[in-house]
Amino acid sequence: MLGRNSYGKSGIRLVRLDRGNASHAVSDLTVAVSLEGKFDAAHVSGDNSSLVATDTMKNTVYALAKDLPGREIEDFALALSDYFLRENPHVSGSEVSIEERIWGRLGATAFEGSSNERRSARAVRSRESVTLESGLKDLLILKTAHSGFSGFARDRYTTLPETSDRLLSTSLTAVWAHRSAAGPFDGRWEAVRLTLLDTFAAHDSASVQHTLYAMGEAALGAHRSLGEIRLTMPNRHHLLVDLSPFGLANENEIFVATEAPYGLIEATVTRES
């Protein structure tokens, strides 16, 4: 028998330009839509009468982008998920995920997009409930002091030296769940992001795990609207180069940045019940 199933449209590219005043605004989005529902006949007997064409999903994204006011991707994800559920009685659940490329402003009508960072939002809706998440992805951050790693378990295969002074670099991904799907969301993402970055910069780190928890704890402490936050922090290793063959000392100045292998540290910080 057919088990749980879903289908949708991914990779919907949408660039929306707001020319409402002399200073333009750009939204550069990638949208994914997924639906669950009574699609058994399509799978089992080839009856497509219950299916919303994925091309229709794409067109709906473009049409609602034109009709809906506001620019927050949380509001857009909520509106899209509500539309697909409301307009299709045979759909039992809808999920909309959005990633937004951040364009830095160069002037009133000029922008630069050199950063790999993405803003994210995800709305998951059923007939009974809706959940909303926001986040950021692939934000490269680095600290050159107040970071060490020592006192870790050692065995016969351990070669890593202990250190109290190392570079700590990571490509941060963070996803936080809102305690309520009600807005307004304007400014909330920027505020959580700033809390995470301020904590990373100031924390006296004994490990990536230590700093990860401090960042999550600070975010929940400063922003009561968040229910939990999940942080993913791959360790972008910077290894000290041995300059002794050249008669040179290396006092934590010359490093080689490596891509792989790398440590991957992840955790969810939640509120006490």
Side-chain angles (χ1 to χ4, degrees), residues 138-152:
D138 294 335
L139 173 57
L140 189 62
I141 50 179
L142 168 75
K143 60 189 298 177
T144 59
H146 306 293
S147 174
F149 188 52
S150 60
F152 50 86

Side-chain angles (χ1 to χ4, degrees), residues 29-218:
L29 311 181
T30 302
V31 182
V33 177
S34 179
L35 304 181
E36 292 189 2
K38 299 177 180 179
F39 308 133
D40 298 48
H43 288 272
V44 176
S45 61
D47 178 357
N48 298 329
S49 59
S50 65
L51 296 183
V52 179
T54 64
D55 188 68
T56 303
M57 297 179 191
K58 176 202 68 178
N59 294 339
T60 302
V61 170
Y62 294 139
L64 290 188
K66 171 63 177 176
D67 289 343
L68 289 174
R71 309 197 63 83
E72 299 295 325
I73 59 175
E74 289 85 359
D75 290 323
F76 193 29
L78 287 169
L80 284 168
S81 66
D82 176 65
Y83 178 90
F84 287 115
L85 204 63
R86 176 166 36 86
E87 295 295 320
N88 300 283
H90 51 280
V91 172
S92 61
S94 62
E95 178 177 326
V96 175
S97 300
I98 303 176
E99 287 191 3
E100 178 177 12
R101 179 172 185 167
I102 308 299
W103 286 89
R105 185 174 294 281
L106 296 176
T109 59
F111 305 85
E112 63 87 19
S114 59
S115 173
N116 288 326
E117 181 187 5
R118 299 291 187 270
R119 177 176 174 175
S120 65
R122 176 172 172 260
V124 181
R125 189 183 296 270
S126 69
R127 295 288 172 185
E128 294 78 31
S129 64
V130 58
T131 61
L132 180 67
E133 297 175 341
S134 300
L136 56 88
K137 182 180 179 181
D138 294 335
L139 173 57
L140 189 62
I141 50 179
L142 168 75
K143 60 189 298 177
T144 59
H146 306 293
S147 174
F149 188 52
S150 60
F152 50 86
R154 308 190 72 91
D155 62 24
R156 64 185 181 276
Y157 299 123
T158 302
T159 59
L160 184 69
E162 297 188 357
T163 180
S164 60
D165 185 12
R166 68 169 182 172
L167 268 65
L168 174 56
S169 177
T170 186
S171 179
L172 174 66
T173 295
V175 176
W176 51 90
H178 298 269
R179 300 173 83 174
S180 168
F185 301 102
D186 187 30
R188 193 182 297 184
W189 181 84
E190 289 85 355
V192 176
R193 179 182 185 273
L194 182 60
T195 299
L196 293 171
L197 294 182
D198 284 348
T199 305
F200 175 82
H203 188 241
D204 192 0
S205 176
S207 65
V208 178
Q209 288 88 340
H210 189 210
T211 298
L212 180 154
Y213 183 78
M215 293 166 69
E217 185 178 42

